[in-house]
Amino acid sequence: MSEVNHYVDYRREGGIAFLSMCHAPVNTLSYELRCAIDHYLDVAEQDQEVKALVLRSELSAFSAGADISEFGTEKSFAEPSLPALCDRIDRFPKWVIAEVAGYALGGGLELALAADKRIATRGSKLGLPEVNLGILPGAGGTQRLPRLIAPSLAARMMCDGKPISSEQALDLGLVNALLASSEHSEAAIHQLLKECEAGTPDNMFEQDYSLSREEETALLEYQAQQARRWTGLKSPQAIIEAVQRGMKSSLEDALALERKLFNDCAASPQARALQHAFFAEKDALKVPGINRDDARLAIQEVAIIGSGLMGCGIAINFLLAGIPTRLLDVNSEALEKARAYIQKTIESGRDKGRISAQICEQAMAALSTASDYEDIANADLVIEAVFEDLTVKQSVFKELNRHCKAEAILASNTSTLDLNAIADVCARPENVIGLHFFSPANIMKLLEVVRTERTSEPVLATCLKLAKKINKVAVTVGVCYGFVGNRMVAPYSREAFRMVLEGASPSQVDSALREFGMAMGPIEMADMAGIDVGCMAALANQHEWQGEESYQALQFALREQGRLGQKTSAGVYRYDGGKKQEDPEVLALAKEIAQSQGIEQRNISKEEIIQRCIFSLANEGFRILEEGIALRSGDIDVIYLNGYGFPRWRGGPMQYADETGLQNVLQGLENLQKNLGAYGERWFAAAPLLKELAQANRSAKSFSNV
Ligand code: NAD
């Protein structure tokens, strides 16, 4: 009895019983909370005085849904299971009103859907986000929601996975009344019960439902519209099936169908991958010894040195967060252009309805420019984004060291340079850190936070806290060439270009990887970034490939011809009228280079393309892990999911390796090493850590530097 009181507060006032969940912090529907709810349902059912039951929360949220930490454990389905609890509430012989405040998500909303009526406070959120974890609502949500609102809209809400506001829920008929605040609930409850007086409590099990022809057409049209976005995804398709077939069956049969579809999805590699991604993003925020609450400095003013492509994108993040930001550049024309570009970008966000007119105005008012370091002396954070040249960057940091206040954080956006060498020119190296944004910096979610040998803990904590404020997914990494993301992309791109020399067409390589799920193929990505940029990166990394002529030889030859990618309307592909086309001239050029280097051309299968690119990516990931540059394999995955268009439903390159089985990855690499001659010998040696884990039958996930 005392145990259940920890989870639920129960009291009766006249004929109404109030069952208030109080399982801090967010009423996850753990086994213990379910037992407590079930217990008080018994009490309310047996108490003759009780005419109606109000299911609510003592906390600021109604419920965040199932307890994800129970997933895969016996507790998850131990009785009373969540589906059983929802069924019981649906069949409950007395009126049940769910009072939603804060948010009702996933299982939390399913619980509310099983009640007879729902009231919600203004501003609360209701949603079924299971699709984001590769599953579907499994406690009746796929069946009760389309029985309450238009089935096609119910399917949209579940397939989108995004919560809706209580105001939208009222319009849809999902809630029966809105409250200005939870303090006004008593009157609304009495009003609802008054309206109910004449009837008997709803029981969906005993009612007839059907799917109208119009609704079925709307459902299937929606499915067809989403076909491209859902490529490779299992759970949205399962949701459509659950709604379409379920609405034509009794609730009992429909729930059995939901259970089957739920189990199929839950057991799929995709669900494992999406759940891995979810947890990996949470874990990436945990850095040993670093507590974001220890953030030392309030960042009230930011300065950005270099107002080029990256400087502008980075500035927009801070401006939209309402932080005054000053751009400094040696080139006054660049500063003028930057101001115009930032204004255009922010205003276009407003015109598309992504930001309010007020935020737009505030952001522009927060922007200023400077040409003198004296003007940025007060900045709390300075981010350098000048040319990728160590000497230039060191000269900037010497100026920062001279002019900035003692506690200012001095950050660099370098993609590849040695941050320790940059920190060396400062008298306060503990304040130096890498903040590696990705292009376009105002859109890409990823932020690699690069910790040098001497970066202080409070500086790191401040940057991690700040990342959240500007809505970035931050991953802490160590210093090495290219850090995590760009270092791994090197072998991935090397294989893509090498296979073109070996006889694959660029579009074959790109399509194979797109089919695998990548947002873009590696060759079209190189054209987009600029062939010259790729060549510069390869040159900067020369020590890796000296003596290996084939290394991106095609890129160097294209650069010679002035084919620099999309920006010159020709790179590996030709872009006539902006449309990408395979270019026979490039195929001939590749053949010529292959002949001159003694590379035999042949047919290359899709499987080989995927193995060579993705296994190379993961293999480099194992080296990075072994060197301690990344803390965990999940951190590497978070980087690839948020910065490189790796399909979330595959969980990232390291999760893909785990799912494939490390022994199979090792075997694949060893075969490539054997079959690709001297080239294979040179580039396909498996990382020692991969070998070690594979031999011990362990996963990448099981290894940690934490
Ligand atoms: P960019 O050429 O567009 O802009 C560089 C700006 O720095 C120019 O406006 C230039 O006038 C200014 N500048 C040069 N020297 C300066 C100095 N001493 N003091 C003040 N201003 C100076 O370059 P970008 O693409 O924005 O790249 C900037 C940095 O960001 C580089 O370190 C690059 O490696 C990194 N980066 C670039 C990308 C990308 O995709 N472009 C992605 C991540 C990181």
Side-chain angles (χ1 to χ4, degrees):
M1 183 68 185
S2 60
E3 176 74 349
V4 290
N5 284 342
H6 289 144
Y7 297 94
V8 162
D9 176 71
Y10 180 87
R11 72 194 153 85
R12 179 164 66 74
E13 282 175 21
I16 305 177
F18 291 90
L19 192 162
S20 305
M21 297 179 278
C22 52
H23 179 25
V26 289
N27 283 330
T28 48
L29 291 154
S30 63
Y31 169 70
E32 290 77 11
L33 176 56
R34 299 193 310 264
C35 285
I37 296 173
D38 198 48
H39 168 79
Y40 284 113
L41 286 174
D42 285 343
V43 174
E45 189 170 351
Q46 282 154 22
D47 185 343
Q48 299 301 317
E49 299 295 315
V50 173
K51 303 288 176 258
L53 175 90
V54 176
L55 183 60
R56 52 154 62 153
S57 166
E58 282 283 282
L59 313 173
S60 55
F62 179 78
S63 166
D67 184 344
I68 301 180
S69 67
E70 278 186 358
F71 275 20
T73 70
E74 275 181 15
K75 271 189 170 180
S76 175
F77 284 103
E79 293 300 340
S81 66
L82 190 56
L85 205 54
C86 290
D87 291 354
R88 177 167 188 198
I89 292 172
D90 195 346
R91 290 191 163 108
F92 203 67
K94 305 179 184 189
W95 288 98
V96 181
I97 297 177
E99 182 191 330
V100 173
Y103 46 83
L105 298 176
L109 181 56
E110 290 180 291
L111 210 56
L113 290 173
D116 301 302
K117 303 279 175 198
R118 281 149 296 282
I119 53 177
T121 45
R122 283 192 181 278
S124 47
K125 298 267 178 215
L126 298 91
L128 292 170
E130 287 81 350
V131 74
N132 298 322
L133 297 178
I135 51 178
L136 43 88
T142 68
Q143 301 309 319
R144 291 195 177 92
L145 187 62
R147 281 164 172 78
L148 280 170
I149 68 172
S152 62
L153 297 181
R156 261 171 207 263
M157 191 172 150
M158 291 186 276
C159 292
D160 259 9
K162 291 198 191 97
I164 59 170
S165 66
S166 49
E167 289 77 1
Q168 288 169 306
L170 182 73
D171 289 344
L172 290 173
L174 173 49
V175 300
N176 305 86
L178 276 191
L179 304 172
S181 79
S182 49
E183 278 151 33
H184 297 78
S185 68
E186 310 277 311
I189 289 164
H190 283 106
Q191 176 62 30
L192 266 184
L193 289 176
K194 207 160 160 208
E195 290 164 20
C196 294
E197 247 165 28
T200 51
D202 292 336
N203 178 345
M204 280 191 189
F205 286 98
E206 287 172 3
Q207 290 172 36
D208 289 330
Y209 298 90
S210 62
L211 184 62
S212 71
R213 190 173 298 191
E214 295 75 30
E215 273 300 309
E216 186 160 18
T217 308
L219 188 67
L220 298 178
E221 273 174 9
Y222 169 63
Q223 183 181 33
Q225 278 161 15
Q226 300 300 315
R228 202 158 156 221
R229 200 162 72 88
W230 292 351
T231 308
L233 289 178
K234 206 173 154 80
S235 57
Q237 303 288 3
I239 289 170
I240 299 285
E241 184 182 346
V243 173
Q244 188 186 14
R245 287 179 53 203
M247 286 303 289
K248 296 175 182 174
S249 324
S250 67
L251 182 59
E252 195 106 39
D253 291 347
L255 291 175
L257 170 69
E258 177 188 86
R259 180 95 332 249
K260 182 191 168 304
L261 292 168
F262 178 92
N263 288 339
D264 286 352
C265 285
S268 69
Q270 223 166 82
R272 284 194 288 278
L274 287 163
Q275 285 162 32
H276 163 76
F278 176 84
F279 286 115
E281 278 170 5
K282 283 184 181 292
D283 287 346
L285 296 173
K286 298 177 201 149
V287 180
I290 302 295
N291 183 349
R292 275 186 295 164
D293 297 334
D294 293 344
R296 189 192 56 180
L297 202 60
I299 304 294
Q300 285 165 341
E301 201 181 314
V302 172
I304 294 168
I305 317 296
S307 63
L309 177 74
M310 292 307 288
C312 288
I314 296 169
I316 292 171
N317 291 294
F318 292 103
L319 293 169
L320 291 179
I323 303 175
T325 303
R326 187 160 282 212
L327 279 177
L328 185 152
D329 203 295
V330 279
N331 180 341
S332 57
E333 215 177 290
L335 275 178
E336 279 313 303
K337 273 196 194 156
R339 181 182 269 285
Y341 172 82
I342 292 174
Q343 178 156 9
K344 197 170 135 217
T345 311
I346 292 183
E347 286 179 354
S348 129
R350 176 201 59 195
D351 297 344
K352 288 180 185 145
R354 292 198 190 119
I355 53 168
S356 69
Q358 194 195 1
I359 298 239
C360 171
E361 206 175 299
Q362 277 169 5
M364 285 316 298
L367 173 65
S368 59
T369 55
S371 51
D372 198 317
Y373 281 89
E374 289 292 329
D375 299 335
I376 60 159
N378 235 346
D380 303 303
L381 165 70
V382 185
I383 304 176
E384 164 281 309
V386 303
F387 302 136
E388 187 73 347
D389 179 308
L390 185 60
T391 322
V392 178
K393 290 200 190 271
Q394 283 177 327
S395 72
V396 168
F397 272 77
K398 280 182 194 156
E399 294 289 342
L400 298 179
N401 190 47
R402 196 168 310 138
H403 293 96
C404 294
K405 63 181 179 189
E407 65 275 28
I409 295 178
L410 309 179
S412 172
N413 182 48
T414 178
S415 316
T416 52
L417 299 173
D418 181 357
L419 265 166
N420 287 313
I422 294 177
D424 280 345
V425 303
C426 292
R428 31 177 154 158
E430 67 283 1
N431 285 8
V432 175
I433 193 165
L435 290 179
H436 186 207
F437 289 81
F438 288 72
S439 180
N442 53 315
I443 294 176
M444 296 298 286
K445 296 287 272 180
L446 178 62
L447 180 65
E448 275 184 335
V449 179
V450 192
R451 184 182 199 175
T452 75
E453 284 156 9
R454 286 165 293 176
T455 306
S456 77
E457 289 179 356
V459 163
L460 179 55
T462 306
C463 290
L464 293 177
K465 189 169 178 188
L466 181 69
K468 190 154 188 247
K469 184 154 189 196
I470 58 170
N471 211 8
K472 297 287 173 200
V473 177
V475 183
T476 305
V477 301
V479 177
C480 67
Y481 177 84
F483 313 120
V484 171
N486 285 345
R487 171 169 163 183
M488 283 169 70
V489 107
Y492 172 75
S493 145
R494 178 196 71 222
E495 284 314 301
F497 275 92
R498 166 77 190 199
M499 281 187 278
V500 174
L501 296 186
E502 290 180 23
S505 73
S507 61
Q508 238 182 308
V509 174
D510 282 340
S511 322
L513 287 150
R514 268 183 186 266
E515 246 176 74
F516 173 82
M518 300 300 291
M520 228 186 194
I523 296 180
E524 50 191 343
M525 188 168 84
D527 261 2
M528 196 181 77
I531 296 295
D532 50 335
V533 175
C535 290
M536 266 162 62
L539 286 171
N541 199 19
Q542 261 187 74
H543 60 277
E544 271 285 307
W545 54 279
Q546 245 159 23
E548 171 57 75
E549 283 190 87
S550 79
Y551 194 98
Q552 291 171 348
L554 182 59
Q555 287 204 50
F556 285 106
L558 291 169
R559 185 177 69 160
E560 279 288 280
Q561 298 181 6
R563 298 182 61 131
L564 304 184
Q566 280 184 16
K567 60 188 168 193
T568 55
S569 297
V572 181
Y573 294 100
R574 178 162 283 292
Y575 300 86
D576 294 329
K579 196 168 173 282
K580 189 183 78 190
Q581 281 166 351
E582 190 95 88
D583 190 340
E585 274 181 33
V586 173
L587 297 183
L589 179 64
K591 194 167 185 176
E592 205 181 292
I593 297 173
Q595 270 167 0
S596 73
Q597 295 193 13
I599 298 167
E600 210 175 299
Q601 292 208 319
R602 63 190 168 89
N603 278 333
I604 298 189
S605 69
K606 218 187 283 180
E607 291 67 35
E608 182 174 341
I609 294 173
I610 291 170
Q611 275 210 358
R612 285 176 67 170
C613 288
I614 305 291
F615 283 7
S616 297
L617 199 58
N619 198 29
E620 196 63 31
F622 282 102
R623 292 208 171 91
I624 284 172
L625 261 187
E626 187 165 19
E627 291 168 25
I629 299 292
L631 287 174
R632 349 166 159 77
S633 69
D635 286 9
I636 298 176
D637 287 334
V638 173
I639 287 173
Y640 265 78
L641 297 175
N642 291 287
Y644 293 85
F646 203 95
R648 196 172 173 88
W649 56 271
R650 289 202 190 267
M654 307 308 280
Q655 166 70 13
Y656 177 73
D658 275 349
E659 194 66 45
T660 306
L662 296 194
Q663 285 163 356
N664 295 329
V665 176
L666 179 62
Q667 184 68 59
L669 287 168
E670 284 173 353
N671 289 345
L672 288 165
Q673 194 178 21
K674 225 172 15 215
N675 300 338
L676 294 172
Y679 179 86
E681 197 50 50
R682 168 152 198 175
W683 295 110
F684 281 94
L689 179 64
L690 166 61
K691 273 191 194 158
E692 188 190 313
L693 293 175
Q695 278 155 11
N697 207 10
R698 285 175 57 189
S699 62
K701 216 180 283 169
S702 72
F703 179 86
S704 165
N705 288 309
V706 174

